Amino acid sequence: MNIIDYADREMLAMHVADLLAGELQSCLLTHETASFAVPGGSSPGPIFDILSGIHFEWDRVHVMLTDERWVPQDDPRSNTALVRQRLLTGRAAQARFVPYYVDGVTAAQGAEMSAPAVAPELPLSLVLLGMGEDMHTASLFPGARGLQRALAHDAPLLCPISAEGQDIDRVTLPAHVLNGAMSRHLVIFGEAKREALARAVSLDAEDAPIVRVLGGGTVHWAA
């Protein structure tokens, strides 16, 4: 696990955006398309703002979420809403988005229906991840219903997750899909998450799911 420390969050956002753009461009030199999985939440927003303005062949990039809350795309809690507002704009508006949400069905039903759209994108070219202080990544939450299945080596390509204390079900890419990406980057901010990451490496994946996808990846940290 390679950890890069930055002087501040603005510097991190600029460097990571340039790094991601460079890796996508390199992928497109040898592949017809590049598959790019991204998180929701507030942390990646500044990275998306910069990345969306970088010029390259966005029309050959397929963007998908690492995980999604099972709400309509116009719901403010939707990760899709963030990605459309902050990443799939400007030059990046040409990218193809791979949605998961299906109206009128449960998260479990929708995961089964949307999983076939993930298959052609594998192995993922590039994954950007976040992590909570509870050491979850994507929607791989410790103690969640569905976590054990999502951590399995033969998990479906899209898994339903019901996290304790949350009233919204989710779907997530499983650990083997995230870990199988050709390149992985984790962005975290603050001392609490840095300390959580240090604890995670000595724990089992069911207690600290982030450990299942860290191997060979790069961690980007700023206070």
Side-chain angles (χ1 to χ4, degrees):
M1 177 177 61
N2 178 35
I3 301 178
I4 303 176
D5 294 344
Y6 296 83
D8 55 49
R9 298 186 184 192
E10 182 178 0
M11 185 176 293
L12 182 151
M14 291 188 293
H15 182 265
V16 172
D18 286 342
L19 184 62
L20 297 176
E23 291 192 1
L24 287 170
Q25 291 181 75
S26 295
C27 180
L28 293 174
L29 292 175
T30 55
H31 297 81
E32 184 72 20
T33 61
S35 50
F36 181 28
V38 300
S42 59
S43 295
I47 298 171
F48 292 163
D49 292 340
I50 299 168
L51 182 58
S52 65
I54 298 177
H55 178 67
F56 60 93
E57 293 178 277
W58 277 106
D59 59 329
R60 295 170 58 197
V61 177
H62 297 176
V63 175
M64 67 197 67
L65 287 158
T66 58
D67 62 311
E68 178 61 290
R69 297 179 180 92
W70 204 250
V71 293
Q73 295 181 18
D74 58 357
D75 189 300
R77 297 168 295 180
S78 167
N79 286 340
T80 296
L82 170 75
V83 170
R84 290 196 182 280
Q85 292 164 9
R86 304 290 293 271
L87 177 59
L88 300 177
T89 186
R91 299 182 187 277
Q94 300 176 58
R96 174 189 167 195
F97 183 64
V98 181
Y100 301 148
Y101 182 76
V102 180
D103 193 32
V105 302
T106 67
Q109 293 168 331
E112 186 174 353
M113 294 169 67
S114 297
V118 176
E121 310 298 339
L122 302 182
L124 297 173
S125 308
L126 179 60
V127 171
L128 178 65
L129 294 165
M131 185 195 76
E133 292 181 22
D134 62 354
M135 296 167 284
H136 85 269
T137 191
S139 280
L140 303 173
F141 288 90
R145 187 167 71 250
L147 175 65
Q148 190 171 28
R149 183 66 177 129
L151 292 176
H153 296 296
D154 60 348
L157 300 184
L158 199 60
C159 297
I161 289 284
S162 181
E164 185 177 353
Q166 300 185 22
D167 59 357
I168 301 173
D169 287 336
R170 299 166 178 251
V171 297
T172 187
L173 295 176
H176 73 85
V177 168
L178 297 171
N179 198 43
M182 290 185 278
S183 180
R184 295 183 304 287
H185 295 273
L186 170 66
V187 170
I188 55 174
F189 297 130
E191 293 292 345
K193 289 189 179 182
R194 182 67 179 260
E195 292 170 4
L197 184 65
R199 292 197 308 273
V201 297
S202 64
L203 299 174
D204 293 332
E206 290 195 17
D207 295 318
I210 187 65
V211 300
R212 186 60 64 85
V213 300
L214 271 183
T218 301
V219 179
H220 306 267
W221 178 84

